[in-house]
Amino acid sequence: MNAIHPDMVNERLRGCGILPTAQRVRIASVLLAAPLHLTADQILAELRNRGEKVSKATVYNTLNLLAGKGVIRQLAVDGDRAWFDSNTTPHFHFQDVDTGALTDLPPETVRFEQLPPPPAGMEYAGIELFIRLRRV
Amino acid sequence: MNAIHPDMVNERLRGCGILPTAQRVRIASVLLAAPLHLTADQILAELRNRGEKVSKATVYNTLNLLAGKGVIRQLAVDGDRAWFDSNTTPHFHFQDVDTGALTDLPPETVRFEQLPPPPAGMEYAGIELFIRLRRV
DNA sequence: ATATGTGCAAATCCTTTGCATAGAA
DNA sequence: TTCTATGCAAAGGATTTGCACATAT
């Protein structure tokens, strides 16, 4: 798996007003090493795999904290579990319906010719686009 | 709340190879009365409200059965709970981020200028588009 | 009679929470 | 110190499941 220098993660967290504790840096390092889509359990497994000690509760707490600060994005793909995306730029996703795996859509491959105006008194808060794929 | 004639539901189920038991007809009647987005609990509440006796297990079993047969569609909006949509024609949704409520997007208000081709060996299995809204 | 559906309660899975301990400022 | 984070285990909420009973053909 990809690596990112702890100092970078450290600064990134500090820059968002997040106290960069050892656990938080470990957790964030997994996701921030590359544009990735991971579940809480996958992150925990990767950390265990690296021999790094973090509790499940702290993984969840930290992921929620990071998502709240906009460092990562939480995705509701299926009702089963939450996915966390280290790519916070506007983009959409392919999803393999069999494995559940997510892939970023190259942003330039999606263009809307027309989108509905928000209803009166409402404004856009985000657009979620999933293209589900199955093996031919 | 809207009503639909039980006989219609009956036939609809039979047409899909679903044995139209009393409970199934009751459950399906709630959703099929109109284009609706409801959670399992909302459906159960509506049935209780009507004085109709159905167990929670049967509501879930039936909704899964109906979704499997394509009579309704299951939506993963947020990770919290499943929504069931009686509109099975291709369409997209607004979602109020505060209430979670879903609204159908008028289909003609969304047009894609470009969509990515499916990766090699894969084919489209569906497109999910949620436009999240918040109060101004 | 034989298959299938229903209901209850218990079990599961993901996620959150309470609280005592550990760490940071 | 004083405030905040961590970890464990327990709690929570949505959904599924096992099994005895009821219903459909």
Side-chain angles (χ1 to χ4, degrees), chain A residues 70-83:
Chain A
V71 180
I72 61 178
R73 186 149 70 106
Q74 187 172 170
L75 302 175
V77 181
D78 46 48
D80 297 343
R81 74 206 105 256
W83 292 81

Side-chain angles (χ1 to χ4, degrees), chain B residues 75-107:
Chain B
L75 303 174
V77 182
D78 47 49
D80 296 342
R81 78 208 108 255
W83 292 81
F84 295 89
D85 189 345
S86 50
N87 179 355
T88 55
T89 67
H91 68 285
F92 309 115
H93 297 94
F94 277 133
Q95 187 208 8
D96 185 317
V97 292
D98 298 311
T99 67
L102 295 172
T103 320
D104 281 0
L105 246 52

Side-chain angles (χ1 to χ4, degrees), chain B:
Chain B
M1 199 167 259
N2 255 310
I4 184 175
H5 193 87
D7 289 355
M8 290 194 54
V9 176
N10 230 283
E11 279 175 37
R12 178 89 183 273
L13 297 188
R14 232 182 259 289
C16 299
I18 298 173
L19 181 66
T21 63
Q23 286 86 336
R24 287 175 179 170
V25 172
R26 286 179 201 139
I27 294 163
S29 294
V30 174
L31 266 170
L32 299 182
L36 277 175
H37 310 95
L38 296 172
T39 66
D41 263 330
Q42 290 175 331
I43 293 168
L44 186 60
E46 170 62 17
L47 290 170
R48 296 269 151 91
N49 206 42
R50 295 182 185 182
E52 298 179 331
K53 208 179 124 295
V54 186
S55 74
K56 182 174 283 203
T58 296
V59 169
Y60 276 105
N61 287 339
T62 300
L63 290 173
N64 288 337
L65 180 66
L66 295 175
K69 299 286 188 180
V71 181
I72 60 177
R73 186 148 71 105
Q74 186 171 172
L75 303 174
V77 182
D78 47 49
D80 296 342
R81 78 208 108 255
W83 292 81
F84 295 89
D85 189 345
S86 50
N87 179 355
T88 55
T89 67
H91 68 285
F92 309 115
H93 297 94
F94 277 133
Q95 187 208 8
D96 185 317
V97 292
D98 298 311
T99 67
L102 295 172
T103 320
D104 281 0
L105 246 52
E108 66 277 5
T109 60
V110 178
R111 273 203 304 275
F112 292 98
E113 187 178 334
Q114 197 186 332
L115 277 175
M122 307 292 280
E123 62 181 8
Y124 274 47
I127 298 184
E128 212 72 76
L129 174 69
F130 291 107
I131 298 181
R132 314 232 189 247
L133 300 172
R134 86 166 70 81
R135 261 187 299 281
V136 176

Side-chain angles (χ1 to χ4, degrees), chain A residues 8-106:
Chain A
M8 288 193 57
V9 176
N10 230 285
E11 278 174 38
R12 178 91 182 273
L13 298 187
R14 233 183 258 289
C16 300
I18 299 174
L19 181 67
T21 65
Q23 286 86 335
R24 286 174 179 172
V25 172
R26 286 179 203 140
I27 293 163
S29 295
V30 175
L31 267 170
L32 299 182
L36 277 175
H37 311 96
L38 296 171
T39 66
D41 263 329
Q42 290 175 330
I43 293 168
L44 187 59
E46 169 64 18
L47 291 170
R48 297 268 151 91
N49 205 42
R50 296 181 184 181
E52 297 179 332
K53 208 178 123 299
V54 186
S55 72
K56 182 174 281 202
T58 298
V59 170
Y60 276 104
N61 287 340
T62 300
L63 290 173
N64 287 336
L65 180 66
L66 294 175
K69 297 288 188 178
V71 180
I72 61 178
R73 186 149 70 106
Q74 187 172 170
L75 302 175
V77 181
D78 46 48
D80 297 343
R81 74 206 105 256
W83 292 81
F84 295 90
D85 189 345
S86 50
N87 180 355
T88 55
T89 67
H91 69 286
F92 308 115
H93 297 94
F94 277 134
Q95 188 209 8
D96 185 317
V97 292
D98 298 313
T99 66
L102 295 172
T103 322
D104 282 1
L105 246 52

